[in-house]
């Protein structure tokens, strides 16, 4: 292949890991907001605006709202999955990757009554099997699903599963951490009862704030569900933020200010627009790597629009590939031990075609050191 010397500007790492992401200058600048007290009116106003904008991005209407939490997406997941299932209920966890397993680990560690359906890594979720499980087991009250399973790069069939869960009269809790903002998702149209998102992936904010979006009716009903945690009591956070207009505990105000800037950009671009931008970048990644003879983990129809999982080239290790690319200014990501020899290339965040062109050129140089000429 022809020599290509595109490189990122000095001091900039191009983050091709699935979050945190390269953010817009407006988002980064928002982190320099003035020091403030979290119990003052301006902090309450900030929290109210961010809650409203997160709800809009999730497809919620006036009957829905969002609850903000200081912490990564896992904090919001734990708040949700430890708070929504009553003692006489049970949640069905749909598991086809590392993050489906994480949902199971959350409910298991809290002693939440549950059933786990394992489909196997890289295998699509069988919607008909979910339908049969709900028909056969009336004791299941909730279903937990990962929308974008980034351990494999698979986009799970949210709309189809949501329709099945709604038809059986159960509640659907969705880990939308790696999909919200770029993949089609709508709280109402997809029959989502609990939608968990975070700042630092496809929303293109900075790490440290996550959120749960739900119908107000669902959040009010948590009054009758026993809390399993103190700090991550979802109903407690909702009551404080919604009725008292104040955070339950000290929030990450500067990160929340950056999240508002990111949400403004997300809403301006629109999910469809951002999805189209990500589609184009993902296609550039995939076409470029295919031309270099890589093997992909998933077939095209199963891939999300923001992550591509591929095998490390023969003749080198992941560490050699990662370290060589990082020295060139590009950061890729490994996959969990269950998929040894696979790495991830994400196209989330403020990236453009030049960044992908530069990555492919750097890939050629790094792989060429181990594979020799002719790649």
């Amino acid at each position: 292949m022809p020599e290509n010397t595109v490189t990122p500007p000095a001091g900039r790492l191009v983050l091709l890991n699935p979050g945190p992401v390269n953010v817009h200058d407006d988002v980064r600048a928002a982190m320099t907001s003035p020091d403030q007290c979290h119990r003052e009116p301006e902090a309450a106003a900030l929290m109210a605006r961010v809650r409203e904008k997160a709800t809009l991005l999730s497809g919620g209407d006036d009957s829905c709202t969002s609850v903000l939490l200081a912490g990564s997406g896992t904090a919001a997941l734990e708040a949700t999955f430890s708070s929504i299932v009553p003692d006489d209920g049970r949640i069905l966890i749909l598991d086809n990757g590392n993050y489906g397993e994480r949902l199971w680990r959350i409910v298991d560690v809290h002693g939440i009554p549950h059933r786990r359906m394992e489909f196997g890594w890289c295998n699509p979720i069988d919607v008909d099997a979910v339908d049969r499980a709900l028909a056969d087991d009336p004791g299941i009250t909730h279903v937990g699903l990962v929308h974008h399973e980034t351990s494999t790069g698979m986009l799970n069939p949210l709309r189809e599963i949501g329709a099945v869960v709604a038809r059986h009269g159960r509640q659907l809790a969705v880990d939308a951490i790696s999909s919200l903002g770029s993949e089609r998702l709508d709280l109402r149209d997809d029959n989502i009862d609990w939608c968990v998102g975070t700042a630092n992936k496809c929303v293109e904010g900075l790490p440290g704030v996550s959120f749960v979006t739900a119908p107000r009716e669902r959040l009010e009903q948590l009054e009758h569900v026993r809390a399993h945690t103190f700090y991550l009591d979802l109903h407690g956070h909702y009551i404080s933020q919604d009725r008292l207009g104040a955070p339950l505990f000290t929030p990450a105000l500067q990160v929340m200010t950056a999240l508002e800037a990111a949400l403004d950009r997300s809403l301006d671009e629109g999910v469809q627009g951002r999805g189209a931008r990500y589609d184009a970048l993902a296609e550039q990644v995939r076409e470029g790597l295919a031309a270099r003879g890589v093997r992909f983990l998933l077939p095209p129809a199963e891939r999300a629009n923001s992550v591509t999982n591929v095998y490390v080239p023969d003749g080198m290790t992941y560490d050699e590939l990662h370290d060589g690319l990082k020295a060139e200014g590009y950061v890729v990501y490994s996959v969990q031990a269950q998929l040894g020899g696979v790495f991830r290339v994400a196209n989330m965040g403020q990236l453009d075609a030049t960044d992908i062109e530069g990555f492919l050129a750097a890939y050629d140089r790094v792989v060429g050191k181990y594979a020799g000429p002719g790649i």
Side-chain angles (χ1 to χ4, degrees):
M1 293 192 176
E3 178 69 15
N4 189 325
T5 58
V6 175
T7 58
R12 177 177 183 253
L13 277 177
V14 176
L15 299 181
L16 301 171
N17 51 282
V21 302
N22 293 110
V23 300
H24 192 275
D25 288 344
D26 290 349
V27 175
R28 191 176 300 104
M31 283 287 288
T32 64
S33 58
D35 298 338
Q36 54 182 305
C37 175
H38 63 292
R39 298 295 180 186
E40 292 300 304
E42 55 270 23
L46 169 65
M47 179 170 285
R49 294 194 305 270
V50 173
R51 291 176 63 212
E52 180 181 5
K53 292 170 183 178
T55 303
L56 290 173
L57 188 65
S58 305
D61 56 22
D62 290 344
S63 67
C64 304
T65 192
S66 294
V67 179
L68 305 178
L69 294 125
S72 68
T74 307
L77 280 178
E78 188 158 4
T80 301
F81 282 77
S82 68
S83 295
I84 63 175
V85 182
D87 289 341
D88 60 352
R90 189 144 46 96
I91 187 165
L92 175 66
I93 299 296
L94 307 180
D95 176 0
N96 67 336
N98 181 70
Y99 298 102
E101 180 181 338
R102 177 174 63 176
L103 298 184
W104 166 71
R105 290 186 179 278
I106 289 172
V107 297
D108 186 62
V109 78
H110 287 286
I112 307 295
H114 65 274
R115 173 181 170 186
R116 180 185 182 190
M117 289 185 73
E118 292 185 76
F119 296 91
W121 288 45
C122 305
N123 293 327
I125 290 175
D126 184 339
V127 179
D128 291 336
V130 177
D131 192 3
R132 291 192 298 271
L134 295 177
D136 293 343
D137 191 344
I140 294 171
T141 55
H142 295 70
V143 176
L145 170 71
V146 177
H147 188 198
H148 175 195
E149 178 57 72
T150 56
S151 61
T152 62
M154 182 175 290
L155 190 69
N156 285 320
L158 170 61
R159 179 154 291 190
E160 294 83 353
I161 291 172
V164 166
V165 173
R167 189 171 72 250
H168 286 281
R170 319 298 169 85
Q171 294 184 29
L172 178 63
V174 177
D175 173 349
I177 286 171
S178 294
S179 62
L180 183 63
S182 75
E183 298 284 0
R184 185 202 53 74
L185 178 152
D186 186 277
L187 208 69
R188 291 307 190 182
D189 291 346
D190 295 327
N191 295 290
I192 301 170
D193 297 279
W194 308 94
C195 181
V196 179
T198 195
N200 59 283
K201 291 185 182 281
C202 301
V203 180
E204 300 188 359
L206 291 161
V209 178
S210 52
F211 52 90
V212 183
T213 305
R216 289 180 180 275
E217 177 186 13
R218 295 295 189 213
L219 288 159
E220 293 287 346
Q221 290 168 351
L222 295 185
E223 180 181 0
H224 307 292
V225 179
R226 177 172 62 91
H228 288 79
T229 73
F230 179 73
Y231 186 77
L232 295 176
D233 173 14
L234 185 59
H235 185 253
H237 283 280
Y238 164 67
I239 293 299
S240 186
Q241 293 178 26
D242 202 71
R243 296 187 190 173
L244 305 179
L248 185 59
F249 305 113
T250 307
L253 288 178
Q254 278 70 27
V255 184
M256 195 182 299
T257 303
L259 173 56
E260 181 176 28
L263 286 167
D264 286 340
R265 296 191 62 82
S266 296
L267 293 169
D268 286 346
E269 186 173 18
V271 174
Q272 185 174 357
R274 182 157 297 176
R277 174 162 63 88
Y278 282 16
D279 281 336
L281 293 171
E283 188 63 23
Q284 186 182 359
V285 169
R286 292 162 187 173
E287 286 184 355
L289 290 176
R292 289 156 172 82
V294 304
R295 292 183 297 133
F296 293 90
L297 184 64
L298 298 179
E302 296 175 0
R303 300 172 194 159
N305 66 14
S306 59
V307 175
T308 303
N309 287 32
V310 298
Y311 287 89
V312 175
D314 293 338
M316 65 187 307
T317 66
Y318 167 74
D319 287 341
E320 290 167 339
L321 178 65
H322 170 273
D323 294 352
L325 286 170
K326 187 174 181 181
E328 296 260 5
Y330 301 88
V331 176
V332 294
Y333 213 50
S334 65
V335 178
Q336 287 76 16
Q338 289 90 331
L339 292 175
V342 176
F343 71 100
R344 290 177 269 190
V345 183
N347 50 267
M348 301 172 179
Q350 286 289 298
L351 304 176
D352 58 25
T354 301
D355 292 319
I356 305 305
E357 180 185 354
F359 157 68
L360 293 170
Y363 178 90
D364 289 341
R365 292 190 290 273
V366 173
V367 174
K369 294 178 182 178
Y370 297 89
I375 61 169

